[in-house]
Amino acid sequence: MALNNFEYKVEACCSHTSARAGCFQTPHGKVDTPRFMPVGTLANVKTVTPAQLQETGAQMVLANTYHLHLQPGEELIAAAGGVHRFMGWDGPMLTDSGGFQVFSLSKIRTISEAGVMFKSPRDGRLINMTPEESIRIQNELGADVIMAFDECPPYPASREAVELATDRTYRWLKRCVLAHDRSDQALFGIVQGGVFTDLRSQAAEMLTQLDLPGYAIGGVSVGEPSELIEKIVRSTTPMLPLHKPRYLMGVGTHREMVQAIAAGMDLFDCVIPTRLARHGTAIVRGDRWNLKNARFRKDLSPLDETCSCYTCRNFSRAYLCHLIHAREALAHTLLSIHNITELVSFTQRIRAAILGDRFVEEFGEWLAPTK
């Protein structure tokens, strides 16, 4: 299938690592990589308006196929003109396939070769999510990038179970390719394989033979220790095509992103910036600050003097502490704005360092082995 308005270019490479700065062009604009992508599961990045989201520097936003299928339904979103118009976001978008829910909703689903049968947590009805159905829903939603339906095995899992899931993911991918019929959407494949590097290698080899427009590493950050995540990413990334965008799913801490960028990854997503915000926690230069703590009650300093986000330009730590203790929803919004900005700007600074060949010099502290 010939794709319209999709192109990925590597603009610079690090002379000491495999880090690269690139540009991924989509029908709704470009994504300068490496880049963190905020998660908007239900066509909404929690507590943040699209205008506020744009000010954070975010370029690409995620939504979730399974959850949008449950509510409000892909037919309504398609009638509204697609997910971009429905949520008021005119930048690039990506939809997860529902594959992560195969992992996260394991208690209410049954897997077979045909697909996955979920029991709706809303009304108990059965939802038959096959690879073809996932692609049909994503075609209706209309995001720029859509993900293949996959089986994400848990950690820990036996080698036999992971091997079965990895093989099934490949068979499902071929069905996704056949079902996909929109040239204005790029279908990415997902490399599974758990913590078994040889299974990851085999999966990557099979997937890249299909010559898809992009590739993701999935099935990490599902409970395994950080050193295993780093090992998986280091061993798998070099097997993915140099001239295609590479996406590490579900990862968004400073260290994890730097380690993955050094291996050659481009795109990242995680729910932590808004989830932490809802619990009164700010991400400040890689650290996590609990704004509920008494030490912030009378601190009139900006949250982070080095941050230029709306929150840090206008409000003090004391005010944020007050909002949290008063249970004001504005606290969630202001902390979400800051946390998203923190992660997006972190990847922007990494990109600038790669362009200037200063990546190791400026971010070496994050490259040291895990202690």
Side-chain angles (χ1 to χ4, degrees):
M1 179 188 298
L3 293 176
N4 298 331
N5 302 315
F6 287 99
E7 183 181 27
Y8 177 76
K9 286 186 177 180
V10 176
E11 299 175 329
C13 295
C14 173
S15 58
H16 301 288
T17 70
S18 296
R20 75 250 191 102
C23 182
F24 179 38
Q25 187 67 44
T26 79
H28 284 86
K30 68 175 182 174
V31 183
D32 295 318
T33 64
R35 201 76 169 199
F36 176 79
M37 305 179 293
V39 176
T41 301
L42 282 164
N44 162 53
V45 177
K46 291 185 184 300
T47 75
V48 177
T49 70
Q52 291 167 331
L53 188 60
Q54 188 174 36
E55 190 178 343
T56 68
Q59 289 182 320
M60 194 170 198
V61 176
L62 274 69
N64 183 274
T65 298
Y66 171 85
H67 290 292
L68 289 177
H69 175 62
L70 289 185
Q71 181 184 334
E74 62 276 9
E75 295 85 1
L76 176 63
I77 293 175
V83 67
H84 295 86
R85 290 187 179 179
F86 187 64
M87 69 177 286
W89 175 258
D90 60 4
M93 287 198 67
L94 179 152
T95 43
D96 189 11
S97 65
F100 184 74
Q101 280 65 49
V102 178
F103 159 77
S104 64
L105 301 179
S106 59
K107 294 181 179 180
I108 59 169
R109 59 93 175 118
T110 304
I111 302 174
S112 69
E113 185 63 27
V116 181
M117 188 70 74
F118 293 96
K119 184 176 181 180
S120 171
R122 295 180 179 274
D123 55 16
R125 67 186 172 95
L126 295 180
I127 300 165
N128 186 21
M129 187 69 75
T130 65
E132 292 82 5
E133 178 70 354
S134 174
I135 295 300
R136 182 196 67 77
I137 295 168
Q138 292 186 85
N139 286 165
E140 290 284 314
L141 295 175
D144 303 274
V145 174
I146 66 175
M147 302 304 298
F149 191 59
D150 62 328
E151 182 179 346
C152 176
Y155 175 85
S158 68
R159 180 183 174 89
E160 180 183 10
V162 174
E163 193 166 6
L164 288 171
T166 305
D167 290 343
R168 183 179 288 128
T169 290
Y170 176 63
R171 293 192 294 274
W172 282 358
L173 171 60
K174 291 192 290 185
R175 289 164 58 185
C176 288
V177 171
L178 291 174
H180 181 41
D181 62 3
R182 284 187 61 164
S183 62
D184 60 344
Q185 291 181 305
L187 172 64
F188 282 21
I190 304 173
V191 178
Q192 292 288 355
V195 297
F196 303 99
T197 54
D198 61 322
L199 294 182
R200 292 275 180 181
S201 176
Q202 294 169 21
E205 182 178 0
M206 291 189 296
L207 266 63
T208 54
Q209 289 177 357
L210 297 177
D211 193 27
L212 299 170
Y215 294 90
I217 295 177
V220 298
S221 200
V222 292
E224 71 275 45
S226 58
E227 58 266 25
L228 275 181
I229 297 176
E230 292 167 14
K231 179 182 177 181
I232 293 164
V233 174
R234 282 197 306 269
S235 64
T236 307
T237 306
M239 303 171 192
L240 303 179
L242 286 169
H243 61 289
K244 302 288 180 71
R246 299 161 170 172
Y247 165 31
L248 182 58
M249 305 179 76
V251 164
T253 69
H254 286 57
R255 178 183 170 80
E256 287 172 338
M257 289 194 292
V258 171
Q259 292 279 338
I261 289 167
M265 296 303 295
D266 304 307
L267 298 169
F268 308 89
D269 81 282
C270 193
V271 298
I272 60 170
T274 51
R275 178 174 290 171
L276 288 176
R278 295 194 301 278
H279 290 87
T281 300
I283 307 171
V284 181
R285 298 185 292 280
D287 294 328
R288 297 182 182 182
W289 291 4
N290 182 353
L291 272 296
K292 298 175 185 176
N293 288 346
R295 68 187 179 97
F296 296 113
R297 282 185 181 272
K298 297 181 180 180
D299 188 342
L300 297 177
S301 308
L303 177 57
D304 180 357
E305 297 90 339
T306 68
C307 179
S308 61
C309 79
Y310 173 79
T311 301
C312 292
R313 291 197 316 268
N314 292 282
F315 304 102
S316 68
R317 299 168 185 178
Y319 181 65
L320 294 168
C321 182
H322 155 66
L323 291 178
I324 293 165
H325 282 283
R327 299 184 179 181
E328 289 288 343
L330 181 59
H332 303 163
T333 296
L334 294 180
L335 286 176
S336 292
I337 288 171
H338 168 76
N339 288 349
I340 293 169
T341 302
E342 166 76 12
L343 295 181
V344 171
S345 64
F346 184 67
T347 52
Q348 286 179 296
R349 293 196 301 274
I350 293 175
R351 172 181 165 80
I354 296 170
L355 289 171
D357 202 13
R358 304 184 308 274
F359 174 60
V360 173
E361 176 185 344
E362 295 186 13
F363 295 90
E365 64 178 297
W366 303 100
L367 292 171
T370 302
K371 295 181 182 179

